[in-house]
């Protein structure tokens, strides 16, 4: 029956990150791999969902209020004027928003530029839609954008570019200069941009997230995707959205309706409450995550990782194995599970071979997630610190 | 080039082993078509260069490719091409349901068009969801389903069909049956593959198949019985036929495929090595005969994807919990597509769905008897108003012939019905490949409370004069 699978399906493999989570569960290892919180979601939002279920908001539904609230937030945060009636599509998570966007804009053979390292899912969504991913490597150690490399990656077939900022796995927040370079290149080549801004509220050191769409003349060629998941610690609710100019939004909406028809109704209701959370909520979110970042960053630095780049956003630290370490990233993660009972993600899964930086760096990075409770982080710190030698460095190095 | 990708859990030792070592992949996978997913052990699989990928990519010819010539820009020409949405969207438009619903609201019409209840689901299921939310089950679930739900699906399937399946390897949970259909099609259909549909059909089938680049062949079911024309089906089969997509109990006609019909389809599939995708979301709303899953016929499980969901059975259509049941190798393809469409399904609802599926027989009996009563009100009402009502054995739909009222076609009739009578029905021409075939029929639903059904019938009796 294998021959019955579609050719794209045959090339796909299960998510390595999900696999590691199952392993962590079974070994009772501390999971610093998958990027979801182990602390509860905010009570006011959970209660909103409970109340929605009790009030019988349980049938197929489109909650237009979400579009209105998202439009308000876009104006507040990025100065963007978004029409809630035509420009916003509610989807089952940013995952579905991104997939629907790809199906809406990509034809067979269209090229899509991505920055390496990158979240594993974009690649496959692009290929499922018949597109061809083209990778531009960000330059370590600070993951800077090389504008020449970017220029050279455009061809006549380039249809779109994907920008994820704050960035998974590195935690980089693209600078204004870099955004201007990207915007300039895309405008000159008349290319669409699809952004993944799920970590838009998780940003540190007084940095401000800038949405690429807010740069001059960019809104008409940008599709923004984001969700409730990371901002409100409800990754399991599957409420996200795409924001785009009306004709593209309409296409995305039509595809979404065929893929899932609608997002879970009670959680759409709860999204209204979430999106109206007071500024305090967002401030605490940032400061809590900032202290978690500091905690993990300092720990990793202390035990001998090369962490030249401190993440400015997202919930991840992309730590480099020191030169003395003879283990590959995969071997390292395996050993860390066995010897310290802590799971992280080997970085090579985020690099793609047709990008120039991949050759020499991909086996050296480990991604740690710090979207975990203080207890979990402390326990992980204890376990990791217990594995050091007399110089204070990890024995594994 | 090291690459971690797949690890498989070795349950004996609580270690993980790179999957190539455990050889859990279907054997064809050792062909390693895509260099991106090399394993870290360089010696085991050869590297594939970028050109290899292109060659494999070029095998995916399709009508989409052929029609995309107009978007090619000459290499010398620096003029940017206009921003374009994908060619695959040519078949996509706002759904008829949305259009009719807006018109209905505008005219204050009673909505017997869109297929969702105006009453709510059972308390015990809602409570289970609430409990799950409060118990902090709010983060990503396992991609292919919360284990308890997979088990509950398997248990229910065994009760209903007699088939014993492995919940871990043969069940995939999705955001509603709509997504199960999309994942099945995208995971199993190649551009150019022929897929047979029975018209009239639920509108997402055609759209999703065209997204996958399939060639659609339609077999029309005709009134009064909408029986399967087996000879026509036989002649529609070619060497390119990859699958038959069927729906029983059937939306919009309410027809249920009989054992004889299923056996005839089964033998054609076995003979020609064709897959079956069977949409069975209304299986618990089967009134005039027992629902039979084609997967339970001899020789069929190995080639069938059985699709179902929570929404219709438990009046919670907005929760978006569905599933696909298929043998492991086929499930694998569905899971891959699913993981890139939505990644995971709503967690608290999955816990509630597991509780729902373990409902006692009395729940299903009451569900049926409630719907039988509602159906009686609607069918008797429609007959007395003057429609020709076709027999519907299952689902909560009936189709009727509207021509006694003298309007040109189904869309004109539905518009008239909303504006002049204040009742919504759905024009069935949208459910056909050739809309002409549906112009005499409209679909009513009876998944509404009895008061609403009676009011709708009253309005029609008053204001719908037979010509």
């Amino acid at each position: 029956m294998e021959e019955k699978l579609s050719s794209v399906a045959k090339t796909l493999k299960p998510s390595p990150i999900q696999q590691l989570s199952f392993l962590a569960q079974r070994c009772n290892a501390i999971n610093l791999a998958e990027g979801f919180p182990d602390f509860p979601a905010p009570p006011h939002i959970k209660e909103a969902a409970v109340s929605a279920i009790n009030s019988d908001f349980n049938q197929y539904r489109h909650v237009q209020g979400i579009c209105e609230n998202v439009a308000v937030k876009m104006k507040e945060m990025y100065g963007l004027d978004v029409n809630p009636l035509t420009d916003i599509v509610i989807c089952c998570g940013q995952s579905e928003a991104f997939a629907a966007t790809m199906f809406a804009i990509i034809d067979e053979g269209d090229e899509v530029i991505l920055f390496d390292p990158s979240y594993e899912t974009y690649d496959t969504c692009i290929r499922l839609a018949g597109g061809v991913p083209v990778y531009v490597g960000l330059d370590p150690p600070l993951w800077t954008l090389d504008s020449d490399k970017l220029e050279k990656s455009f061809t006549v077939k380039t249809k779109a570019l994907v920008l994820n900022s704050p960035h998974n796995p590195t935690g980089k927040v693209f600078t204004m200069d870099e955004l201007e370079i990207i915007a300039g290149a895309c405008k000159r080549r008349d290319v669409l941009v699809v952004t993944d801004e799920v970590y838009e509220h998780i940003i540190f050191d007084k940095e401000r997230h800038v949405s690429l769409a807010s740069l001059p003349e960019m809104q008409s060629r940008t599709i923004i995707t984001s969700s409730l998941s990371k901002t409100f610690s409800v990754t399991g609710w599957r409420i996200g959205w795409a924001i785009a100019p009306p004709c593209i939004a309409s296409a995305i909406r039509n595809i979404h309706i065929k893929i899932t028809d609608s997002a879970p109704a009670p959680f759409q209701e709860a999204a209204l409450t979430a999106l109206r959370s007071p500024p305090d909520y967002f401030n605490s979110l940032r400061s809590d995550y900032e202290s978690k970042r500091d905690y993990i960053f300092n720990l990793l630095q202390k035990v001998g990782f090369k962490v030249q780049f401190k993440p400015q956003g997202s919930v991840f630290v992309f730590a480099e194995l020191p030169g003395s370490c003879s283990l590959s990233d995969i071997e390292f993660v395996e050993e860390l599970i066995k010897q310290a009972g802590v799971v992280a993600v080997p970085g090579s899964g985020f690099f793609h071979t047709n990008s120039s930086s991949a050759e020499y760096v991909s086996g050296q990075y480990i991604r740690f997630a710090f979207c975990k409770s203080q207890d979990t982080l402390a326990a992980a710190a204890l376990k990791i610190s217990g594995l050091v030698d007399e110089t204070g460095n990890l024995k594994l190095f | 080039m090291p690459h971690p990708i797949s690890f498989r859990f070795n349950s004996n030792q609580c270690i993980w082993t790179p999957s190539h070592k455990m050889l859990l992949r279907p054997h064809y996978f050792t062909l390693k078509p895509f260099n991106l997913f090399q394993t870290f052990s360089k010696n085991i699989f050869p590297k594939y260069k970028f050109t290899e990928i292109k060659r494999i990519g070029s095998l995916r010819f399709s009508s989409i490719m052929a029609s995309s010539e107009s978007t090619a820009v000459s290499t010398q020409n620096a003029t940017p091409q206009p921003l374009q949405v994908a060619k695959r969207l040519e078949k996509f438009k706002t759904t008829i349901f949305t259009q009719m619903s807006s018109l209905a609201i505008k005219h204050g019409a009673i909505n017997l068009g869109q297929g969702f209840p105006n009453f709510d689901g059972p308390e015990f299921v809602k409570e289970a969801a609430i409990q799950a939310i409060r118990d902090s089950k709010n983060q990503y679930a396992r991609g292919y389903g919360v284990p308890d739900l997979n088990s509950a699906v398997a248990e229910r399937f065994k009760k209903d069909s007699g088939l014993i399946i492995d919940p871990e390897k043969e069940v995939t949970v999705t955001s509603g049956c709509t997504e199960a259909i999309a994942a099945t099609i995208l995971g199993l259909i190649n551009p150019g593959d022929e897929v047979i549909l029975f018209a009239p059909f639920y509108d997402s089938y055609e759209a999703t198949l065209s997204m996958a680049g399939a060639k659609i062949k339609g077999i029309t079911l005709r009134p009064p019985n909408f029986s399967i024309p087996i000879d026509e089906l036989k002649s529609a089969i070619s060497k390119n036929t990859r699958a038959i997509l069927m729906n029983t109990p059937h939306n919009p006609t309410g027809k249920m495929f009989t054992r004889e019909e299923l056996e005839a389809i089964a033998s054609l599939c076995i003979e020609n090595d064709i897959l079956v995708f069977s949409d069975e979301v209304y299986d618990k709303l089967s009134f005039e005969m027992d629902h039979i899953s084609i997967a339970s016929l001899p020789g069929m499980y190995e080639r069938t994807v059985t699709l179902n969901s929570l929404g219709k059975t438990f009046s919670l259509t907005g929760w978006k919990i569905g599933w696909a049941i298929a043998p492991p190798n086929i499930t694998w393809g569905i899971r891959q597509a699913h993981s890139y469409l939505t990644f995971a399904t709503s967690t608290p609802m999955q816990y509630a769905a597991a509780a729902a599926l373990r409902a006692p027989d009395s729940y299903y009996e009451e569900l049926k008897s409630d719907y039988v009563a509602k159906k009686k009100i609607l069918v008797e009402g429609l007959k007395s108003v003057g429609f020709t009502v076709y027999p519907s054995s299952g689902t909560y739909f009936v189709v009727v012939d509207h021509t006694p009222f003298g309007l040109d076609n189904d869309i004109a009739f539905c518009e008239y019905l909303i504006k002049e009578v204040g009742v919504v029905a759905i024009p069935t021409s949208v459910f056909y490949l050739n809309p002409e075939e549906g112009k005499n029929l409209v679909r009513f639903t009876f998944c509404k409370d009895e008061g609403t059904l009676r009011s709708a019938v009253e309005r029609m009796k008053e204001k719908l004069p037979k010509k």
Side-chain angles (χ1 to χ4, degrees):
Chain A
M1 276 296 145
E2 297 83 2
E3 69 280 5
K4 297 291 181 191
L5 295 176
S6 71
S7 33
V8 177
K10 284 181 196 167
T11 69
L12 302 182
K13 285 185 154 198
S15 157
I17 298 175
Q18 278 190 343
Q19 303 282 71
L20 285 169
S21 275
F22 303 152
L23 177 68
Q25 265 174 4
R26 285 165 165 142
C27 292
N28 272 323
I30 299 177
N31 190 333
L32 300 190
E34 205 166 359
F36 59 74
D38 63 355
F39 45 81
H44 68 292
I45 297 171
K46 293 200 308 196
E47 280 314 309
V50 166
S51 152
I53 293 173
N54 280 329
S55 311
D56 299 343
F57 286 114
N58 296 310
Q59 308 310 324
Y60 293 130
R61 214 172 161 73
H62 162 78
V63 176
Q64 182 58 25
I66 294 180
C67 302
E68 270 137 36
N69 283 294
V70 166
V72 164
K73 279 222 113 35
M74 290 293 112
K75 182 76 187 174
E76 219 174 75
M77 290 175 57
Y78 313 124
L80 284 169
D81 284 307
V82 165
N83 183 337
L85 287 171
T86 57
D87 298 356
I88 304 179
V89 185
I90 303 170
C91 297
C92 293
Q94 183 273 345
S95 300
E96 201 220 341
F98 189 87
T101 299
M102 286 304 142
F103 280 113
I105 64 175
I106 298 300
D107 268 312
E108 189 77 24
D110 283 347
E111 288 177 5
V112 181
I113 294 174
L114 299 118
F115 296 109
D116 226 22
S118 79
Y119 177 55
E120 52 177 4
T121 300
Y122 305 143
D123 186 90
T124 308
C125 285
I126 292 165
R127 291 192 295 121
L128 268 177
V132 178
V134 172
Y135 289 93
V136 171
L138 297 173
D139 294 337
L142 300 180
W143 309 108
T144 41
L145 172 63
D146 179 332
S147 62
D148 280 337
K149 265 198 226 169
L150 177 61
E151 280 300 320
K152 294 199 171 92
S153 64
F154 284 90
T155 71
V156 289
K157 292 190 174 163
T158 308
K159 184 75 183 280
L161 177 149
V162 173
L163 176 66
N164 170 220
S165 180
H167 185 244
N168 172 8
T170 64
K172 168 191 175 60
V173 170
F174 283 68
T175 65
M176 196 49 147
D177 285 343
E178 289 169 329
L179 294 177
E180 281 168 358
I181 290 170
I182 295 168
C186 291
K187 279 188 283 193
R188 274 193 306 279
R189 314 316 184 88
D190 194 22
V191 155
L192 295 171
V193 178
V194 182
T195 67
D196 173 358
E197 300 180 34
V198 290
Y199 301 104
E200 56 188 318
H201 294 281
I202 301 177
I203 187 161
F204 315 126
D205 306 323
K206 306 208 187 327
E207 289 260 0
R208 215 177 42 96
H209 172 63
V210 174
S211 189
L212 186 73
S214 63
L215 269 61
E217 296 164 66
M218 285 306 289
Q219 192 173 356
S220 57
R221 63 179 62 254
T222 304
I223 298 119
I224 298 174
T225 66
S226 192
S227 76
L228 288 189
S229 296
K230 311 301 197 288
T231 309
F232 298 99
S233 308
V234 286
T235 59
W237 284 15
R238 324 314 294 136
I239 301 289
W241 50 85
I243 304 172
C247 89
I248 298 181
S250 165
I252 295 172
R253 188 177 300 112
N254 290 340
I255 301 257
H256 153 69
I257 289 175
K258 300 306 185 213
I259 297 182
T260 61
D261 187 75
S262 54
F267 298 137
Q268 287 192 55
E269 283 301 314
L272 297 175
T273 303
L275 291 167
R276 291 178 196 143
S277 296
D280 268 351
Y281 174 81
F282 298 96
N283 294 334
S284 318
L285 182 80
R286 278 174 73 126
S287 64
D288 284 348
Y289 268 120
E290 190 165 330
S291 39
K292 292 181 204 287
R293 175 212 52 183
D294 290 341
Y295 187 82
I296 289 295
F297 185 79
N298 293 336
L299 166 74
L300 295 174
Q301 203 169 42
K302 205 174 67 157
V303 301
F305 279 93
K306 275 164 70 180
V307 273
Q308 294 160 278
F309 179 75
K310 199 172 190 186
Q312 305 144 312
S314 88
V315 300
F316 304 111
V317 178
F318 209 44
E320 193 178 351
L321 297 171
S324 58
C325 182
S326 59
L327 301 170
S328 73
D329 58 340
I330 298 147
E331 290 160 349
F332 177 85
V333 170
E334 190 168 1
E335 289 307 309
L336 196 67
I337 295 182
K338 289 183 189 159
Q339 297 187 35
V342 174
V343 196
V345 180
S348 35
F350 299 100
F351 290 93
H352 301 84
T353 51
N354 63 347
S355 111
S356 46
S357 63
E359 290 294 331
Y360 54 89
V361 301
S362 75
Q364 295 161 235
Y365 288 88
I366 310 287
R367 189 192 78 174
F368 288 90
F370 51 82
C371 46
K372 308 291 169 186
S373 70
Q374 207 44 47
D375 286 346
T376 304
L377 296 178
L382 199 60
K383 296 252 174 116
I384 290 175
S385 308
L387 201 57
V388 301
D389 61 22
E390 59 286 344
T391 67
N393 285 336
L394 264 186
K395 289 185 193 157
L396 300 177
F397 289 152
Chain B
M1 163 88 43
H3 237 273
I5 312 301
S6 316
F7 297 100
R8 292 287 169 159
F9 171 65
N10 180 325
S11 53
N12 299 325
Q13 296 156 325
C14 193
I15 58 167
W16 91 115
T17 312
S19 70
H20 70 274
K21 287 188 181 162
M22 289 186 78
L23 292 177
L24 284 180
R25 293 255 148 277
H27 67 266
Y28 70 81
F29 210 90
T30 58
L31 297 175
K32 278 287 177 289
F34 200 67
N35 71 345
L36 214 55
F37 294 97
Q38 281 179 342
T39 61
F40 63 83
S41 179
K42 300 167 209 177
N43 298 325
I44 293 187
F45 297 111
K47 256 191 205 201
Y48 281 78
K49 291 183 282 208
F50 193 56
T51 51
E52 302 270 355
I53 302 159
K54 286 211 157 154
R55 178 157 46 83
I56 289 160
S58 72
L59 290 176
R60 292 193 48 179
F61 61 87
S62 67
S63 52
I64 296 172
M65 275 285 265
S67 63
S68 68
E69 287 155 322
S70 56
T71 62
V73 174
S74 79
T75 48
Q76 293 80 29
N77 190 353
T79 315
Q81 62 203 67
L83 287 180
Q84 278 187 340
V85 294
K87 293 249 162 266
R88 67 173 60 81
L89 290 169
E90 277 153 13
K91 288 207 184 250
F92 286 61
K93 28 193 187 303
T94 322
T95 73
I96 191 70
F97 305 106
T98 327
Q99 284 164 12
M100 290 285 151
S101 283
S102 323
L103 209 54
I105 292 172
K106 207 163 137 211
H107 292 269
I110 298 176
N111 197 332
L112 300 191
Q114 208 159 359
F116 56 76
N118 67 348
F119 46 84
D120 210 36
E123 280 310 308
F124 79 97
V125 181
K126 292 175 7 175
E127 276 310 314
I130 289 171
Q131 196 55 49
I133 292 170
R134 292 198 167 128
D135 287 346
S136 293
K137 301 216 175 352
N138 297 309
Q139 308 308 327
Y140 291 128
R142 185 178 66 173
Y144 57 93
V146 161
D148 197 34
L149 178 54
N150 289 49
S151 298
V153 166
E155 285 160 29
R156 190 69 234 175
F157 192 60
K158 170 152 190 274
K159 258 186 133 177
D160 294 334
S161 69
L163 291 169
I164 297 176
I165 61 169
D166 181 341
E168 293 299 290
K169 301 202 183 109
E170 299 177 292
V171 177
T172 306
V173 175
T174 55
S175 292
C177 187
T178 304
E179 200 219 330
I181 294 167
T184 298
I185 290 173
L186 289 166
L188 301 172
I189 299 296
N190 278 315
D193 284 348
E194 285 176 15
V195 177
I196 297 175
L197 286 183
F198 297 104
F201 45 72
Y202 175 59
D203 71 335
S204 91
Y205 300 164
E206 186 188 357
T208 316
L209 284 168
S210 69
M211 244 163 64
K215 233 182 100 192
I216 299 172
K217 277 193 169 164
I219 307 277
T220 305
L221 305 181
R222 297 175 200 286
N225 294 318
F226 301 104
S227 6
I228 312 297
I230 294 294
D231 289 333
E232 247 187 80
L233 178 59
K234 229 184 241 182
S235 27
I237 292 175
S238 79
K239 59 178 170 54
N240 295 322
T241 308
R242 181 163 275 223
I244 295 176
L245 175 49
M246 56 177 273
N247 172 216
T248 177
H250 183 245
N251 172 9
T253 65
K255 175 211 171 27
M256 290 179 64
F257 286 45
T258 63
R259 185 168 285 281
E260 292 71 35
E261 288 169 330
L262 293 175
E263 281 168 353
I265 295 173
S267 84
L268 286 171
C269 289
I270 294 169
E271 205 181 301
N272 294 283
D273 195 21
I274 296 171
L275 296 176
V276 173
F277 306 156
S278 180
D279 175 355
E280 303 183 6
V281 288
Y282 298 101
D283 67 337
K284 297 290 176 282
L285 297 179
S286 49
F287 310 123
E288 319 275 324
M289 54 178 269
D290 286 336
H291 170 76
I292 304 167
S293 285
I294 195 170
S296 64
L297 268 56
M300 286 309 289
Y301 181 73
E302 67 200 55
R303 61 183 64 257
T304 305
V305 182
T306 307
L307 304 149
N308 211 327
S309 79
L310 191 74
K312 315 296 199 271
T313 311
F314 291 92
S315 311
L316 294 163
T317 58
W319 281 21
K320 311 306 296 156
I321 300 289
W323 54 87
I325 298 172
N329 291 341
I330 296 182
T331 289
W332 191 79
I334 298 170
R335 283 183 184 177
Q336 298 317 306
H338 157 66
S339 68
Y340 294 97
L341 287 175
T342 59
F343 187 68
T345 307
S346 153
T347 311
M349 298 353 197
Q350 289 193 57
Y351 283 92
L357 287 175
R358 293 181 176 124
D361 288 344
S362 56
Y363 172 79
Y364 298 101
E365 277 149 29
E366 217 182 291
L367 180 78
K368 259 194 212 182
S369 67
D370 283 350
Y371 270 118
V372 164
K374 294 178 201 293
K375 183 174 172 183
K376 193 155 182 247
I377 297 172
L378 182 67
V379 169
E380 281 175 5
L382 292 171
K383 281 183 177 158
S384 72
V385 168
F387 288 99
T388 310
V389 180
Y390 293 111
S392 154
S393 323
T395 75
Y396 40 50
F397 302 114
V398 291
V399 291
V400 304
D401 187 322
H402 65 80
T403 51
F405 302 98
L407 279 109
D408 282 339
N409 59 48
D410 55 335
I411 295 179
F413 178 78
C414 286
E415 283 176 357
Y416 177 85
L417 196 65
I418 293 178
K419 294 177 186 162
E420 307 300 327
V421 182
V423 174
V424 191
I426 293 287
T428 59
S429 52
V430 298
F431 298 121
Y432 289 80
L433 285 171
N434 173 7
E436 272 298 297
E437 291 179 332
K439 66 176 187 171
N440 293 343
L441 302 174
V442 297
R443 182 193 83 177
F444 285 95
T445 174
F446 51 89
C447 52
K448 308 290 170 187
D449 66 273
E450 294 188 9
T452 302
L453 294 170
R454 283 184 220 281
S455 306
V457 168
E458 278 316 303
R459 283 194 188 183
M460 287 189 278
K461 276 188 184 156
E462 263 179 54
K463 301 194 187 166
L464 201 53
K466 226 167 118 168
K467 292 271 189 287

